[in-house]
Amino acid sequence: MNEIVRGDIQSALAGTSLDPQDWNAFRALAHRMLGETIDSIANVRERAVWQPAPDSVRAQLKADVPRGAADLGDVYREFSDVIAPYATGNVHPGFMGWVHGGGTAVGMLAEMLAAGLNANLGGRDHMPIEVERQITAWMRELFGFPQDASGIFVTGTSMANLMAVLVARTNTLGTLARQHGIGNDGALLTAYTSKAAHGCIAKAMDIAGLGTDALRQIDVDAEHRIDIAALRAQIAVDREVGFRPFLVVASAGTVDIGAIDDLADLARLCREEGIWFHVDGAFGALAILSPELAPRLAGIELADSIALDFHKWGQVPYDAGFLMVRDGDKHRQAFAQPAAYLRREARGLAAGSHWPCDFGPDLSRGFRALKTWFTLKTFGTDRLGAMIARTCALAKYLETRILAEPRLELLAPVNLNIVCFRYRATDADEINREIVADIQESGIAVPSSTTIDGNLAIRAAVVNHRTDTMDIDALVAAVLDFGARRSGDGLIEIDAPPLAAQ
C-alpha cells in the first residue's frame, strides 16, 4: 500500500521541479548571459546613456499572464531586446541626472552569489547575518559610534529615514505607544528639518502617523544649510505653545545642491534641548571615506542615528540602504515583536539573538550585505574614498567650465558633487526645461532639473565612478548646442553616441 501511494506521489510530482532538465545547456546559456552582461558594462560608452522605449517595445510587456512554460533562451532574448536597451542608464558615465551610483562588475557578481544562496536575513543563526553584522561594526568604526550601536540594511535612505522617525517616536513616547497608539501626547510631537531636505522626511512623518504638519521646515542660509538660529527660535515657540519637539533631521548632502548642514552645532542644540538628532546622509555620509572630505562631516559622530545608501557614492548595485542607531537598545525597542514562530533557542538554526527582524519592519530580507561586503573588501575604503573625492573634483571642473562660458550661469555653490546651472535666455525656465529633455533624448548625457531660488536649473550630479572630463565636456557642449537651437542663437555641432538615433 505504501509503495502504491509513494508511486502515485512520485508520478504526480514528476516534472514539477524548477531545476534545469539539462544542466550543461543551462550552464552554457548562463555563461553567455554573464559574458554579455560584462561586455555591456565594459563597452558602455558605445551606446546612448538613455533612450526612450518606442510604443512597439512597450506593447511587448502588456501580454497576458504566461500560463505555459517558455525556453529560457527565448526569455533572455526578450530581456536583451525589450528591457536592457531601455534601462535608466546610470551605469553609463554620462548619467548625471540624479544621485544614482554606477554599480560595479564586482557588485554584480556578488549579487549573483547572493541569489544563489537565497538566504533570508530576517533572523536565525547563519553566516550571511554575520556579514551584515561585520559591516555594522565597520560603520561604527568609520563614524565613531559606540560598540552597542546597531545597524541594519534596508531598501534605501527613504526607508531608513522612516525607521529613524519611528525610533525617535518610541524613544519619546515610550514602548507602550506601540500598543496603544500615539494618543494625545503623540499629537503634540514636532520635528524639524530644512526646506532643502529630501521629501521623504515629510513622507516619513505621514506614515508614522504624526502628520506632515508636525514637520517644521526651517529656512536655509546662503550656503543652503539649515538656519540654526531660526531652528532654535522655532523650537522655543513650539515649546511655549505646548508642542513637544522630539526630532531634528539634518542633511549631509541636500538633494538639490549637496549642502551639508552644520552637524556639530546641530548636535549641540539637540543635546541642550533633549531632542533626537538624526542625519540624512543618503549620499553625503560616505564622504567619511575620503580624508579630504570627511572634515565637512564634523559632528556626524554625535548623531543619534544616521541613514545612508551604499548604492550611491558606494557604487554598490541597487538596492543597499543602511540605518545606524547609536543606542542599539532604543533601536530594538522600536521594532522587536515577540512571536512563537520567532522563538530563540539555545542551539540549532533558531539560536542567536538579537535577529535583524528585531531592528526593522521586515522579516523577509535579502542578502544586501553581501554586495556591500564584496565592494568594501575588494576596493577598500582608501580607493573608494579617492573615487568619491574625484567626483567632487569633476564637479569643480564643471563649475570652471560654466564660469568661463558667458552663455551659462551658475545657480548655486558647488559643495560636493552636484552642480546647478542654466543656459542664459529670455525665457530661461522654459528653454532650460527643453534643454534637459533634448539632451536626455539625444543619448549624449542625462542631466535633470530642479528649482533654485525660484529659477529652473539644469542639475548635474557626478556620482558614477566611470565619469571623466570628456563626459563633462560632452554635457557642456550639449547644453550650448541645444540652448542655441532653442533660443535661436546659432548652432554648435556635436556628435551623438552611436545608438542615440535609434
Side-chain angles (χ1 to χ4, degrees):
M1 183 67 178
N2 288 339
E3 291 299 323
I4 296 174
V5 171
R6 185 180 296 110
D8 290 342
I9 293 174
Q10 289 175 340
S11 176
L13 294 179
T16 59
S17 170
L18 301 181
D19 281 336
Q21 296 297 304
D22 184 339
W23 281 103
N24 289 330
F26 177 84
R27 183 176 290 106
L29 178 57
H31 280 264
R32 177 186 155 203
M33 295 163 99
L34 178 60
E36 290 179 356
T37 303
I38 292 173
D39 287 344
S40 74
I41 299 173
N43 303 316
V44 66
R45 288 186 182 277
E46 297 179 6
R47 63 177 186 267
V49 181
W50 173 81
Q51 56 182 337
D55 290 342
S56 59
V57 169
R58 294 181 185 277
Q60 294 185 56
L61 291 185
K62 299 183 184 300
D64 293 337
V65 62
R67 301 293 182 183
D71 180 77
L72 177 60
D74 292 338
V75 177
Y76 173 57
R77 188 176 303 109
E78 185 174 2
F79 163 82
S80 300
D81 294 342
V82 175
I83 299 171
Y86 307 101
T88 312
N90 50 300
V91 175
H92 198 290
F95 186 96
M96 306 174 211
W98 294 268
V99 185
H100 292 359
T104 67
V106 167
M108 177 195 71
L109 292 176
E111 188 81 309
M112 178 186 69
L113 295 175
L117 289 179
N118 194 28
N120 180 355
L121 270 74
R124 285 161 281 276
D125 186 17
H126 53 113
M127 285 305 292
I129 288 178
E130 294 302 325
V131 173
E132 185 161 342
R133 288 170 178 156
Q134 182 177 50
I135 293 172
T136 297
W138 290 342
M139 293 304 107
R140 287 192 202 108
E141 180 179 346
L142 287 170
F143 288 100
F145 266 38
Q147 287 301 306
D148 59 351
S150 55
I152 187 167
F153 275 88
V154 293
T155 53
T157 293
S158 292
M159 175 59 77
N161 285 333
L162 167 60
M163 290 166 62
V165 170
L166 295 173
V167 175
R169 185 190 70 177
T170 303
N171 178 63
T172 303
L173 297 179
T175 56
L176 284 178
R178 295 183 57 196
Q179 178 180 353
H180 302 304
I182 62 173
N184 293 332
D185 287 342
L188 299 175
L189 296 183
T190 52
Y192 306 82
T193 194
S194 82
K195 289 183 176 178
H198 197 282
C200 69
I201 307 300
K203 182 180 286 188
M205 293 291 288
D206 168 15
I207 297 172
L210 304 173
T212 57
D213 284 351
L215 179 65
R216 312 294 196 243
Q217 295 180 302
I218 308 299
D219 287 334
V220 296
D221 61 18
E223 299 298 316
H224 293 249
R225 302 174 303 179
I226 190 169
D227 185 326
I228 296 180
L231 170 62
R232 188 182 294 275
Q234 184 63 57
I235 291 172
V237 168
D238 285 337
R239 288 199 191 280
E240 180 67 24
V241 298
F243 286 112
R244 191 176 180 183
F246 83 109
L247 170 68
V248 169
V249 179
S251 297
T254 55
V255 62
D256 281 329
I257 71 165
I260 300 175
D261 291 333
D262 188 332
L263 305 180
D265 277 359
L266 287 170
R268 281 189 287 271
L269 171 61
C270 289
R271 291 295 180 268
E272 293 169 9
E273 295 284 348
I275 296 175
W276 189 275
F277 177 41
H278 174 68
V279 176
D280 174 2
F283 79 94
L286 285 183
I288 201 74
L289 301 180
S290 165
E292 175 186 342
L293 300 174
R296 303 188 193 187
L297 296 172
I300 197 169
E301 72 280 0
L302 302 173
D304 291 304
S305 52
I306 303 171
L308 60 92
D309 287 326
F310 290 107
H311 56 234
K312 291 187 170 75
W313 252 350
Q315 309 299 330
V316 173
Y318 276 86
D319 52 35
F322 194 76
L323 173 67
M324 187 161 56
V325 179
R326 171 176 296 278
D327 188 326
D329 287 339
K330 291 181 178 180
H331 187 178
R332 186 172 52 84
Q333 287 166 10
F335 294 104
Q337 185 75 49
Y341 51 85
L342 298 177
R343 177 184 170 88
R344 316 300 153 86
E345 302 293 350
R347 51 192 289 266
L349 186 54
S353 191
H354 302 288
W355 289 358
C357 63
D358 298 329
F359 296 95
D362 296 322
L363 179 56
S364 297
R365 303 176 64 249
F367 196 1
R368 295 183 180 95
L370 187 63
K371 54 192 172 185
T372 307
W373 185 82
F374 259 84
T375 299
L376 292 169
K377 292 276 287 185
T378 302
F379 300 111
T381 57
D382 289 348
R383 186 173 175 186
L384 291 171
M387 173 272 298
I388 287 170
R390 185 173 176 275
T391 63
C392 295
L394 287 170
K396 282 294 184 183
Y397 174 72
L398 175 54
E399 179 186 37
T400 62
R401 290 293 318 272
I402 293 165
L403 294 176
E405 174 52 64
R407 287 171 290 177
L408 301 180
E409 177 184 8
L410 191 69
L411 293 183
V414 179
N415 294 287
L416 293 171
N417 61 330
I418 299 177
V419 184
C420 292
F421 66 106
R422 67 177 176 175
Y423 187 89
R424 296 181 190 270
T426 302
D427 189 359
D429 282 1
E430 185 58 31
I431 292 293
N432 282 277
R433 182 178 291 107
E434 295 296 332
I435 289 172
V436 169
D438 288 339
I439 295 174
Q440 291 174 353
E441 292 174 353
S442 75
I444 296 167
V446 169
S448 64
S449 62
T450 190
T451 301
I452 303 294
D453 298 328
N455 299 309
L456 188 133
I458 300 172
R459 177 176 177 267
V462 186
V463 186
N464 193 319
H465 60 96
R466 303 179 182 94
T467 304
D468 207 338
T469 53
M470 70 178 74
D471 304 296
I472 303 297
D473 292 338
L475 172 65
V476 171
V479 170
L480 294 174
D481 178 33
F482 287 112
R485 297 184 193 208
R486 289 290 176 180
S487 61
D489 294 336
L491 180 64
I492 302 171
E493 291 294 340
I494 56 178
D495 294 326
L499 296 180
Q502 294 186 9

